[in-house]
Amino acid sequence: IAAPGQRPNRSNHVNQASRYGDTLSVVDPSNTQHRIRLAGIDSPEKGPSYGRVSRQRLTDTVFPKAVQVEWTKRDRYGRIIGTVVADGRDVCLPQIQSGLAWHYKKYETEQSVEDRKADAEVKARQLERGLWMDANPVVAWQWRRNARSKWLGRLSGLVIRATAAHG
């Protein structure tokens, strides 16, 4: 994986897609594994509708191909945020065109105009592909927020019960 600003290395290989359709493990020529969070998209988690389908589509698109990774930053989890290119194409585009990921508008300003996927999402919505077959699909970031709130609610309930039992 070339450092930001360096020419991308074409001999990286995808080791595996994560449990989500927007993250990959890529092995570079020195056999170092890197976690890549695909820039500009967000896919359903494994629990909601289309989560597993999204992951499988990403796997089918990249595995076991040589890929290029272009990136400029890491996220708070240490993953590289980047564009992955396989067979000359950005692997995010088929995810959005198939209705298996959202264009991540929150980070749109970090993308060049050519890298933005909003038009592909609009077309997938119009054609009711993938998650757009549902009348109101829950966007991934809202699903994560809801899941986190439920988890914190359960945790606080456990703490209250434990305190009452020992009080």
Side-chain angles (χ1 to χ4, degrees), residues 90 93 103 107-120:
D90 179 348
L93 199 53
H103 171 235
Y107 298 104
E108 186 172 61
T109 58
E110 297 177 8
Q111 302 165 357
S112 67
V113 173
E114 303 85 46
D115 287 340
R116 294 181 186 165
K117 314 291 187 295
D119 292 342

Side-chain angles (χ1 to χ4, degrees), residues 32-53:
T32 303
Q33 185 169 301
H34 304 271
R35 301 282 294 158
I36 313 295
R37 175 67 162 81
L38 300 177
I41 71 168
D42 201 7
S43 70
E45 304 295 313
K46 69 177 184 173
S49 300
Y50 299 100
R52 286 187 170 88
V53 177

Side-chain angles (χ1 to χ4, degrees), residues 1-20:
I1 308 282
Q6 291 183 344
R7 192 168 177 209
N9 186 327
R10 295 177 193 266
S11 58
N12 304 299
H13 284 82
V14 173
N15 187 21
Q16 69 181 42
S18 78
R19 58 186 180 176
Y20 311 112

Side-chain angles (χ1 to χ4, degrees), residues 26-67:
V26 174
V27 177
D28 69 18
S30 68
N31 215 26
T32 303
Q33 185 169 301
H34 304 271
R35 301 282 294 158
I36 313 295
R37 175 67 162 81
L38 300 177
I41 71 168
D42 201 7
S43 70
E45 304 295 313
K46 69 177 184 173
S49 300
Y50 299 100
R52 286 187 170 88
V53 177
S54 179
R55 178 188 184 273
Q56 187 60 52
R57 173 62 188 248
L58 181 60
T59 299
D60 294 345
T61 302
V62 299
F63 192 74
K65 299 178 182 178
V67 297

Side-chain angles (χ1 to χ4, degrees), residues 8-12 66-70 83-86 88:
N9 186 327
R10 295 177 193 266
S11 58
N12 304 299
V67 297
Q68 280 179 253
V69 179
E70 300 169 9
T83 300
V84 175
V85 177

